[in-house]
Amino acid sequence: MEALVTGVAQMGPIQKIDSRAAVVRRMLALLAEAKARGCRFVVFPELALTTFFPRWVYEPGEPALDAWFEDAMPGPETRPLFDAAAAAGIGFYLGYAEKAGNRRFNTAILVDGTGRIVGKYRKVHLPGHAEPDPSRLGEHLEKRYFHVGDLGFPVFETMGAKIGMCICNDRRWPETYRVMGLQGVELIALGYNTPTGLGEPYQAAAQANMHNELSLRAGAYQNATWVAAAAKCGVEGGYPMIGQSMIVSPLGEVVAMAATLEDELITARCDMKLAAYARTEIFNFARHRRPEAYALITDRVGAGEPVVPSRAQMGLDDA
Amino acid sequence: MEALVTGVAQMGPIQKIDSRAAVVRRMLALLAEAKARGCRFVVFPELALTTFFPRWVYEPGEPALDAWFEDAMPGPETRPLFDAAAAAGIGFYLGYAEKAGNRRFNTAILVDGTGRIVGKYRKVHLPGHAEPDPSRLGEHLEKRYFHVGDLGFPVFETMGAKIGMCICNDRRWPETYRVMGLQGVELIALGYNTPTGLGEPYQAAAQANMHNELSLRAGAYQNATWVAAAAKCGVEGGYPMIGQSMIVSPLGEVVAMAATLEDELITARCDMKLAAYARTEIFNFARHRRPEAYALITDRVGAGEPVVPSRAQMGLDDA
């Protein structure tokens, strides 16, 4: 329950030919700027070490696919990032493709100011498809390459705050934020790669930034938590992705936002006490929530038939 | 699954001395305008027939409190509204204080184009307090005067659409929209009375309109549903309330918004097919939701301790 000066390290495009070493050099530059600007915590994007490879079609198990995944964390290429962050006393969130035995996850780790991995999250809401469809304007094959995350939405007490994580599409689902809100989360870190132009033209392109902002602000407000969201953005392999990395206050206001589609650091002083009034009154969950009315949220996966009370239950005269 | 031209009938202040007959005359004027503008469905506010009485302190059971509740629906004063709406073939949502035997609810009804009450909703998320506190800038005693709603969040198939209801503070809780989304809701109608200036100065006053818009747009977008929200607004008994009645599309865009704090009708053509793409792709619940990760939402009421996986579960090297 104190203030954590937080940086969001937006990253511009990473092309297929860019080496991890080259990417980590860019991250080190962002980290150095974060240190100079007083940050104690930095959020890097989803799958931050490589291009967004789920746009390309691979067969499961083929070496070219496997090459996008990390064998170890930290590994030889990422060790310099851990070392530099620990030397600066800065913790960070990092998204990467994780090998876990025979399973593969879209993963983020939480590293504290000493370089220790204190938490892990594996993406629950995988968007897109498992099968390629050449009739689409572009592929989004996360359901093909990743298993569904098996760690829930844990919240970790570290760096003087209660920090949760999610990844990209998770941010559009109110359940994501609420499960962490019910653990008292104070700051949610997330990275994203959000392509535009792959789907129905109006929704997918014209509204992508609006939906990003709406999702992040609603999750923050409704759970009285800071949200720090880092994009990988710009044009990768001919495909555009949104930027608009932002830090949102527990009152749902955007307090910092990226102005480019390139490597760019934004910062805010995240005071965990800012949400105290909201947690005591309007979003005092213990006083106001009514789980007996929420059963469908965990009982159903997809939408089903309406559940309608009888006219007698509703006290209607003809009952 | 067709288009329903919908009107939101915002209402300016209703003072303590205003009779129900006078209020219904104002509603009839709004209804006449709705007819002239092609509406087939009109949304009136929460507790639309009287002043917002939970700002005043009464003892349970005292006649002055009981007088704010309706003995019958329709009753003698509201019958002209039902008759005029049926004559025009217009359905409506109406909020009022309901007596149900010994119980009291903050209620809304759904009336179809023939004047028949086809659905009822009783407010689940009652804000405010049960005990008066003269140190506050103003009272908000809904927890004192109303029982918690006992009908869930039902969705009714009527007027060619799947219509759900909620009331005021319900709109700030993502569970409200999701429970209806899981029943395939296409249009959510709601009324509200939202005072400003009663709480922490920055949040309660400066941000009230922003939070209203954010809540309504997020609920619409995340469930691919229309939302039609009607304020009672302006200054009642010296206490100001926000306006900003609006209609939000299933893509989260505000497509109509009130421009005054007075009686005012806004309209939109609500095409239920507009959400078809969202329901097939990004918010295809059956494909993407993961209730196994949502257990806390129904298992917990208030926020509790973090649920943290072991380091072995997270596959961390030192496990």
Side-chain angles (χ1 to χ4, degrees):
Chain A
M1 288 290 282
E2 52 185 86
L4 186 67
V5 178
T6 297
V8 164
Q10 175 173 290
M11 298 182 72
I14 299 174
Q15 305 303 341
K16 268 185 160 179
I17 62 165
D18 293 337
S19 69
R20 282 176 177 74
V23 172
V24 169
R25 280 195 294 275
R26 289 164 57 184
M27 300 172 90
L28 290 171
L30 288 160
L31 190 71
E33 182 179 350
K35 180 181 177 185
R37 293 172 63 182
C39 296
R40 291 176 46 221
F41 180 57
V42 172
V43 182
F44 292 105
E46 172 194 33
L47 299 174
L49 299 168
T50 68
T51 198
F52 186 71
F53 64 86
R55 72 169 66 87
W56 312 113
V57 181
Y58 299 97
E59 291 311 311
E62 78 171 279
L65 171 61
D66 218 46
W68 299 120
F69 287 78
E70 304 305 309
D71 288 311
M73 186 54 63
E77 300 99 337
T78 44
R79 173 69 68 187
L81 179 65
F82 281 69
D83 291 345
I90 295 176
F92 61 93
Y93 164 111
L94 174 68
Y96 66 99
E98 179 193 11
K99 287 185 195 172
N102 289 326
R103 297 182 303 165
R104 298 287 182 272
F105 295 103
N106 188 340
T107 292
I109 48 169
L110 185 63
V111 179
D112 72 10
T114 72
R116 181 165 192 255
I117 301 176
V118 294
K120 182 181 280 185
Y121 168 73
R122 291 166 172 162
K123 188 171 181 178
V124 165
H125 298 100
L126 298 171
H129 305 88
E131 294 304 322
D133 177 356
S135 75
R136 294 180 194 278
L137 294 168
E139 299 288 359
H140 196 114
L141 294 167
E142 289 193 55
K143 285 191 193 292
R144 184 176 183 86
Y145 300 139
F146 300 114
H147 292 84
V148 172
D150 61 348
L151 299 175
F153 293 98
V155 168
F156 300 92
E157 303 198 45
T158 182
M159 292 173 271
K162 296 179 181 172
I163 301 180
M165 296 181 280
C166 65
I167 299 176
C168 196
N169 182 45
D170 287 321
R171 75 195 188 283
R172 304 184 193 277
W173 299 82
E175 292 90 345
T176 297
Y177 305 88
R178 185 61 101 223
V179 170
M180 292 188 269
L182 285 165
Q183 299 171 70
V185 73
E186 296 172 326
L187 189 155
I188 294 174
L190 70 121
Y192 57 96
N193 287 259
T194 298
T196 59
L198 303 187
E200 189 275 327
Y202 182 63
Q203 270 187 75
Q207 301 188 318
N209 277 43
M210 181 270 276
H211 287 157
N212 179 56
E213 178 183 332
L214 179 60
S215 300
L216 297 171
R217 289 177 54 216
Y221 169 60
Q222 292 168 337
N223 295 280
T225 180
W226 290 91
V227 172
K232 181 145 64 66
C233 56
V235 179
E236 286 188 353
Y239 290 91
M241 298 188 292
I242 67 165
Q244 205 190 38
S245 298
M246 64 178 72
I247 301 175
V248 184
S249 85
L251 307 178
E253 291 186 309
V254 179
V255 297
M257 189 166 81
T260 73
L261 295 174
E262 302 166 4
D263 290 9
E264 178 182 351
L265 185 80
I266 59 172
T267 77
R269 181 179 178 278
C270 299
D271 181 347
M272 307 308 162
K273 291 189 297 296
L274 189 58
Y277 178 76
R279 289 170 191 253
T280 307
E281 290 290 334
I282 188 78
F283 292 121
N284 183 327
F285 292 167
R287 289 186 59 220
H288 299 307
R289 291 184 78 248
R290 289 287 163 182
E292 70 272 18
Y294 307 156
L296 288 190
I297 293 173
T298 44
D299 286 352
R300 287 187 175 177
V301 180
E305 289 300 306
V307 181
V308 179
S310 69
R311 292 184 71 84
Q313 283 175 298
M314 293 189 285
L316 293 177
D317 290 341
D318 55 352
Chain B
M1 289 289 282
E2 52 184 83
L4 186 67
V5 178
T6 297
V8 164
Q10 175 172 290
M11 298 183 71
I14 299 174
Q15 306 302 341
K16 267 184 159 179
I17 62 165
D18 293 337
S19 69
R20 283 176 176 74
V23 172
V24 169
R25 280 195 294 275
R26 289 164 56 184
M27 299 173 91
L28 290 172
L30 288 159
L31 190 73
E33 182 179 350
K35 180 181 177 186
R37 293 172 64 181
C39 295
R40 291 177 47 222
F41 180 58
V42 173
V43 181
F44 292 105
E46 172 195 33
L47 299 174
L49 299 167
T50 68
T51 197
F52 185 71
F53 64 86
R55 72 169 65 88
W56 312 114
V57 181
Y58 299 97
E59 291 311 309
E62 76 172 282
L65 171 61
D66 217 46
W68 300 119
F69 287 78
E70 303 306 308
D71 288 311
M73 187 54 62
E77 299 100 337
T78 44
R79 173 69 67 186
L81 179 66
F82 280 70
D83 291 347
I90 295 176
F92 62 93
Y93 163 111
L94 174 69
Y96 66 99
E98 179 193 11
K99 286 185 195 172
N102 290 327
R103 297 183 303 164
R104 299 288 181 273
F105 295 104
N106 187 340
T107 291
I109 48 169
L110 186 62
V111 179
D112 73 9
T114 73
R116 182 167 192 255
I117 300 175
V118 295
K120 180 181 282 186
Y121 168 71
R122 291 167 172 160
K123 188 173 182 177
V124 166
H125 297 100
L126 298 171
H129 305 88
E131 294 303 322
D133 176 357
S135 76
R136 295 180 193 277
L137 294 167
E139 299 289 356
H140 196 114
L141 294 167
E142 290 192 55
K143 285 192 192 291
R144 183 176 183 85
Y145 301 137
F146 299 114
H147 291 85
V148 173
D150 62 347
L151 300 174
F153 292 98
V155 169
F156 301 91
E157 302 197 46
T158 182
M159 293 174 270
K162 296 178 181 171
I163 301 180
M165 296 181 279
C166 65
I167 299 175
C168 196
N169 181 44
D170 288 321
R171 75 195 189 284
R172 304 184 193 277
W173 299 83
E175 292 90 345
T176 296
Y177 305 89
R178 184 63 100 224
V179 169
M180 291 189 269
L182 285 164
Q183 300 171 70
V185 73
E186 295 172 327
L187 189 156
I188 295 175
L190 72 121
Y192 56 97
N193 288 260
T194 297
T196 59
L198 302 188
E200 190 274 327
Y202 184 62
Q203 271 187 76
Q207 301 188 317
N209 277 42
M210 182 270 276
H211 287 158
N212 179 56
E213 178 182 331
L214 178 60
S215 300
L216 297 170
R217 290 176 54 215
Y221 168 62
Q222 291 168 338
N223 295 280
T225 179
W226 290 91
V227 172
K232 181 147 63 68
C233 56
V235 178
E236 285 189 354
Y239 290 92
M241 299 189 292
I242 67 166
Q244 205 190 37
S245 299
M246 63 178 74
I247 301 175
V248 183
S249 85
L251 307 179
E253 290 185 310
V254 178
V255 297
M257 189 166 83
T260 73
L261 294 175
E262 302 165 3
D263 289 9
E264 178 182 352
L265 186 80
I266 59 172
T267 76
R269 182 180 178 277
C270 299
D271 182 347
M272 307 307 162
K273 292 189 297 296
L274 189 58
Y277 178 77
R279 288 169 191 253
T280 308
E281 290 290 334
I282 188 79
F283 292 121
N284 182 327
F285 292 167
R287 288 186 58 221
H288 300 307
R289 290 184 80 249
R290 291 287 163 183
E292 71 273 17
Y294 308 154
L296 288 190
I297 294 173
T298 44
D299 286 353
R300 287 187 177 178
V301 180
E305 289 301 305
V307 180
V308 179
S310 70
R311 292 185 70 85
Q313 283 175 297
M314 294 190 285
L316 294 178
D317 289 342
D318 55 2

